[in-house]
């Protein structure tokens, strides 16, 4: 495309939401160019050879929400090469004292696993799911991006079931932190710890008001499963790029946007750091909304809309990851086939996770260190040499800014992760062939995430759904004509969902249909 040529839409950011928005817009006949600041597309859905010969996901590992939507089918991502494998059991609790709980997609199999240690706990977990399932089904249409009136009767029926134990108690459970919810609903840390570990995987702390939704989300894994994209998270990105390209989208990498020109409150062009000016009728930003609207937008978003966005929060608690290349899977005592399929939780106590969150928020490296692992090479031989494996060890409560700085603390994190692995899987150290630490400072530099925050903003109750990133921007529209916001920092939430990308494309197309403009 010649420099200076006008296009219909410029998408800023080639993460999965930006690519999905581009696909839907191109499918509707729009000429779309995607600008990506990095040398490869994918954002948080990238898989790299961080240890020579071993491929690790940089951030996203297990895909849940996008497989609850019809986005993969609508875009025929299978036809573009995307293959998902179910991770079942989706989680296993590897307690230090030798106890094990396996969380299968099948509820009865999970209850039976818990009952091997505690029949009482098994009954409590079943009762917890009885409460959680209607909560999940009530919010599911919003998560899927399906807010049509035809879903209203079903949502009201699920809401009634969610409120059946008592409206005030149910409201308290949903609006409260998951720390309190789990103490009320589950008898001990046999299940509290691993359920909390999965809730923390969403980036929400145990004492965060409204965080109970992420513990209730445990039911979603039973309802819809948890999935690994063959080839790693990059498998999703590669399929989206193939589909976008087949629809005529041009994806330009190493092309960071320098500014979005919007004189007089209307989008006119995007200018890259290299000086190229792309005149356009519309812009979709699929990057941090604060960066997009307060830094790239020229002039920046002003008035109450700009003030509200500036006030949107991201905490100091993020994820730190250690990639470990090995000659064998972790040798858990009394392991069973399938134990390496999903998340392997090493969170023994709910209180430990709560304490870790507070320590990380204060800039300290938590002690004890809450950890979980994924060993997706057990499902996907593409990720490691024959007979070898990848072990992705994650701390969900790491400080973005740590006392002493990450360059001086990185070795400590690696050592403590490996010590924990050795404790849970004796002999693990002898199998280690290489290690790469993907700490928050590295994430911030590699992915260019402010504050190393993959969700861009906290997903607290007041920054969720139509309130994300702010109430005024919750429908993906902005006060600037032709400018739309998408990505992890927009409605409904972060994670591998795709719904923000599709919803943004729909908003843009709907606006064009209501007020068609002559393209110049």
């Amino acid at each position: 495309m010649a420099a200076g040529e006008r296009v219909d839409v410029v998408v800023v950011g080639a993460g999965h939401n930006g690519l999905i928005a581009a696909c839907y817009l191109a499918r509707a006949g729009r000429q779309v160019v995607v600008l990506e600041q990095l040398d490869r597309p994918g954002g948080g859905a990238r898989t790299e050879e961080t240890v020579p010969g071993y491929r690790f996901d940089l951030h996203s590992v297990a895909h849940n929400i996008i497989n609850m939507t019809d986005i993969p089918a609508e875009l025929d991502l299978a036809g573009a090469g995307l293959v998902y494998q179910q991770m079942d059991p989706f989680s296993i609790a590897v307690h230090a004292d030798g106890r094990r709980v396996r969380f299968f997609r099948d509820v009865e199999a999970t209850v039976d696993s818990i009952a091997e240690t505690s029949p009482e706990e098994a009954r409590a977990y079943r009762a917890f799911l009885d409460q959680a399932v209607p909560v999940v089904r009530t919010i599911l249409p919003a998560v899927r991006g399906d807010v049509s009136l035809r879903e209203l009767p079903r949502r009201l029926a699920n809401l009634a079931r969610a409120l059946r134990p008592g409206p005030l108690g149910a409201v308290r459970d949903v609006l409260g932190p998951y720390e309190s919810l789990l103490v009320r609903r589950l008898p001990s840390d046999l299940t509290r710890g691993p359920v909390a570990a999965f809730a923390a995987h969403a980036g929400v702390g145990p004492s965060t008001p409204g965080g109970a939704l992420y513990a209730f989300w445990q039911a979603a894994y039973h309802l819809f499963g948890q999935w690994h994209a063959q080839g790693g998270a990059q498998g999703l990105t590669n399929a989206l790029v193939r589909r976008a390209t087949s629809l005529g989208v041009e994806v330009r990498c190493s092309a960071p946007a320098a500014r979005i020109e919007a004189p007089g409150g209307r989008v006119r062009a995007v200018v890259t750091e290299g000086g190229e000016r792309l005149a356009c009728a519309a812009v979709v930003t699929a990057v941090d909304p604060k960066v997009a609207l307060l830094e790239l937008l020229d002039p920046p978003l002003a008035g109450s809309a700009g003030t509200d966005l500036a006030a949107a929060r991201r905490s100091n608690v993020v994820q730190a990851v250690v990639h470990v290349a090995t000659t064998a899977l972790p040798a858990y005592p009394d392991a069973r086939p399938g134990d390496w399929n999903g998340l392997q939780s090493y969170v023994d106590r709910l209180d430990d996770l709560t304490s870790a969150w507070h320590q990380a928020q204060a800039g300290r490296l938590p002690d004890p260190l809450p950890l979980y692992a994924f060993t997706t090479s057990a499902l996907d031989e593409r990720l490691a040499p024959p007979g070898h494996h990848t072990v992705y060890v994650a701390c969900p409560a790491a400080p973005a800014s740590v006392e002493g700085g990450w360059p001086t603390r990185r070795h400590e994190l690696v050592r403590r992760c490996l010590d924990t692995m050795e404790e849970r899987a004796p002999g693990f150290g002898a199998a280690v062939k290489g290690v790469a630490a993907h700490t928050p400072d590295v994430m911030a530099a590699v992915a260019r995430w402010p504050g190393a925050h993959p969700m861009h903003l906290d997903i607290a109750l007041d920054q969720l759904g139509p309130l994300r990133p702010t109430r005024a921007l919750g429908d993906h529209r902005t006060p600037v004509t032709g400018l739309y916001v998408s990505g992890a920092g927009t409605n409904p939430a972060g994670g591998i969902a795709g719904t923000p990308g599709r919803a943004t494309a729909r908003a843009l197309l709907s606006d064009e249909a209501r007020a068609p403009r002559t393209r110049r």
Side-chain angles (χ1 to χ4, degrees):
M1 184 175 294
E5 184 175 345
R6 185 176 181 84
V7 299
D8 294 336
V9 185
V10 174
V11 176
V12 178
H16 78 286
N17 279 302
L19 292 170
I20 285 171
C23 286
Y24 279 98
L25 291 168
R27 198 173 71 163
R30 304 304 180 268
Q31 183 185 24
V32 184
V33 171
V34 180
L35 300 178
E36 170 55 45
Q37 60 186 344
L38 303 179
D39 61 352
R40 289 180 58 188
R46 293 173 67 186
T47 307
E48 303 279 351
E49 195 172 303
T50 58
V51 177
Y54 300 78
R55 293 176 55 77
F56 291 87
D57 293 320
L58 297 190
H59 188 75
S60 164
V61 178
H63 296 177
N64 176 237
I65 300 176
I66 195 169
N67 283 295
M68 301 178 187
T69 76
D70 51 8
I71 291 172
E74 285 183 347
L75 296 180
D76 185 23
L77 296 184
L82 178 62
V83 177
Y84 272 115
Q85 296 171 265
Q86 186 165 203
M87 307 166 84
D88 196 24
F90 60 81
S91 177
I92 172 175
V94 185
H95 286 286
D97 62 8
R99 293 179 300 169
R100 301 285 182 270
V101 175
R102 295 166 177 89
F103 296 88
F104 298 91
R105 183 171 179 182
D106 181 74
V107 173
E108 293 306 316
T110 303
V111 170
D112 289 345
S113 176
I114 300 170
E116 291 178 20
T117 301
S118 171
E120 176 194 4
E121 194 107 10
R123 290 190 293 271
Y125 185 80
R126 188 197 300 274
F128 171 67
L129 289 184
D130 287 343
Q131 181 184 11
V133 166
V135 172
V136 168
R137 291 199 181 279
T138 298
I139 65 175
L140 189 60
V143 173
R144 287 172 164 165
D146 185 358
V147 292
S148 62
L149 290 178
R150 71 175 183 273
E151 284 289 333
L152 186 58
R154 189 179 305 171
R155 294 183 75 181
L156 291 175
N158 283 312
L159 178 61
R161 281 192 287 272
L163 296 175
R164 190 176 298 159
L168 288 179
V171 169
R172 174 199 60 184
D173 284 347
V174 171
L175 297 183
Y178 64 80
E179 176 185 48
S180 301
L181 174 71
L182 295 179
V183 169
R184 284 195 298 269
R185 294 291 179 258
L186 300 175
S188 79
D189 282 308
L190 176 69
T191 53
R192 288 177 192 165
V195 172
F198 233 128
H201 181 62
V204 178
S207 57
T208 303
L213 282 174
Y214 302 97
F216 280 134
W217 197 251
Q218 182 83 1
Y221 300 106
H222 290 291
L223 291 170
F224 301 102
Q226 178 175 248
W227 302 86
H228 163 76
Q230 280 190 4
Q234 191 74 39
L236 171 63
T237 296
N238 291 346
L240 285 169
V241 171
R242 291 189 194 102
R243 178 57 62 232
T245 301
S246 75
L247 291 167
V249 175
E250 182 181 354
V251 180
R252 301 183 187 177
C253 295
S254 300
R259 69 179 181 276
I260 301 167
E261 294 181 350
R266 178 184 291 274
V267 159
R268 300 294 183 184
V270 176
V271 180
T272 70
E273 288 184 3
E276 181 180 14
R277 184 177 187 274
L278 287 171
C280 54
V283 173
V284 170
T285 66
V287 296
D288 185 318
K290 285 192 168 189
V291 170
L293 302 186
L294 302 180
E295 298 178 23
L296 296 181
L297 182 61
D298 182 18
L301 190 64
S304 61
T307 300
D308 285 352
L309 181 59
R313 307 179 313 284
R314 47 177 164 252
S315 74
N316 192 50
V317 185
V318 293
Q319 188 179 74
V321 175
V322 176
H323 296 154
V324 188
T326 70
T327 58
L329 291 167
Y332 303 127
D334 302 318
R336 299 176 186 174
D339 281 356
W340 301 274
N341 288 353
L343 181 147
Q344 296 138 58
S345 168
Y346 310 139
V347 177
D348 286 331
R349 300 173 65 247
L350 173 59
D351 288 348
D352 289 344
L353 185 61
T354 302
S355 173
W357 220 273
H358 294 320
Q359 291 176 69
Q361 182 62 33
R364 300 191 298 274
L365 192 59
D367 187 15
L369 198 64
L371 295 175
Y372 56 79
F374 283 102
T375 51
T376 46
S377 58
L379 296 171
D380 189 350
E381 61 184 13
R382 298 163 180 78
L383 303 177
H388 289 226
H389 287 280
T390 58
V391 182
Y392 172 109
V393 186
C395 173
S401 177
V402 67
E403 291 176 349
W406 274 111
T408 65
R409 306 300 296 276
R410 189 171 293 117
H411 177 74
E412 178 186 352
L413 173 74
V414 171
R415 176 183 56 78
R416 290 174 61 189
C417 286
L418 294 179
D419 286 349
T420 298
M421 294 299 303
E422 183 70 27
E423 176 188 41
R424 308 292 165 132
F428 179 80
V432 175
K433 299 295 290 183
V435 176
H438 206 57
T439 46
D441 61 323
V442 176
M443 290 186 185
V446 170
R448 298 192 184 182
W449 289 332
H453 211 304
M455 306 288 189
H456 302 322
L457 304 170
D458 289 349
I459 50 176
L461 200 59
D462 64 329
Q463 296 185 161
L464 194 62
L467 302 176
R468 187 172 185 84
T470 66
R471 184 173 63 83
L473 302 171
D475 63 355
H476 303 280
R477 297 171 172 89
T478 76
V480 177
T481 301
L483 180 61
Y484 299 81
V485 289
S486 189
T490 66
N491 183 5
I496 302 296
T499 46
R502 181 172 63 178
T504 307
R506 286 175 172 174
L508 190 161
L509 295 170
S510 174
D511 290 350
E512 282 190 353
R514 286 200 301 265
R517 295 188 294 271
T518 302
R519 296 189 184 121
R520 291 163 292 178

